[in-house]
Amino acid sequence: TYTCEYMESIRVRPYSSADYPSICELDAPLFAGMGGPVLFRHIEELFPSLFFVAENAEKDIIGYILGGIHLDDPKTGKLIRIGVVQNYQRKECGTKLTEALFSAMKERNVTAVHLTVAETNKPAIAFYQKIGFMQKERIQNYFYPTTPRLVLWKTL
């Protein structure tokens, strides 16, 4: 018989403000210098129903996902950021987080989602392609001069 070596359960639930310190701590090594603490507070206020966390069996937060909806196009969503601690990457945590976000977006009649990713982030690009995103364009100076980003889209 085949036994999976990794059997730990991962639970996704809505974010609550009590999660803020844990999310900030988790985010710091993943997205250093990218404004996580400020971003989290903005998403908490603007799109609280599109902010989810993932927990392991011990109820430690091991990942999060932030989404938004375009104010001028309410059928278009954005996957703003997803972060998963290294020990839980490639173990379905990201997939469960995106499923929760996309389900919440569908409830709000969102029909397409986009995101941006660094073209050098090959693991993230592979993950996004695996869950159905396709590259639509490359923007040369998306965040900073000489910092290109790929723009990926997915139909819900």
Side-chain angles (χ1 to χ4, degrees):
T1 56
Y2 174 76
T3 306
C4 181
E5 289 180 32
Y6 189 80
M7 297 294 289
E8 185 168 1
S9 66
I10 295 170
R11 179 177 159 253
V12 174
R13 63 167 174 80
Y15 167 89
S16 80
S17 58
D19 299 324
Y20 182 76
S22 298
I23 294 292
C24 291
E25 187 178 322
L26 183 156
D27 183 73
L30 297 175
F31 296 98
M34 302 230 5
V38 173
L39 177 62
F40 302 142
R41 286 295 190 208
H42 287 313
I43 298 301
E44 181 180 346
E45 293 172 9
L46 296 171
F47 301 107
S49 66
L50 301 177
F51 193 163
F52 295 90
V53 297
E55 298 176 323
N56 63 13
E58 290 78 37
K59 300 214 185 290
D60 298 318
I61 294 177
I62 56 169
Y64 67 87
I65 193 166
L66 312 173
I69 296 175
H70 286 260
L71 299 177
D72 61 347
D73 181 5
K75 294 214 175 285
T76 302
K78 180 165 179 106
L79 193 167
I80 297 169
R81 185 180 288 180
I82 182 171
V84 175
V85 296
Q86 191 167 6
N87 293 352
Y88 286 89
Q89 292 175 4
R90 292 172 194 77
K91 294 179 177 149
E92 299 301 311
C93 185
T95 301
K96 289 181 178 189
L97 285 164
T98 56
E99 287 170 353
L101 177 63
F102 298 158
S103 177
M105 286 181 167
K106 285 179 188 176
E107 289 174 11
R108 295 176 69 167
N109 298 313
V110 170
T111 58
V113 180
H114 72 98
L115 60 87
T116 69
V117 62
E119 62 188 351
T120 56
N121 192 344
K122 302 299 183 196
I125 293 167
F127 169 71
Y128 293 134
Q129 289 174 335
K130 182 184 105 173
I131 63 170
F133 280 88
M134 294 178 53
Q135 181 181 334
K136 293 293 183 193
E137 64 182 311
R138 179 184 182 274
I139 300 176
Q140 180 61 37
N141 299 316
Y142 188 82
F143 282 130
Y144 312 105
T146 71
T147 305
R149 301 284 284 185
L150 301 179
V151 180
L152 282 61
W153 283 83
K154 173 185 175 67
T155 301
L156 294 183

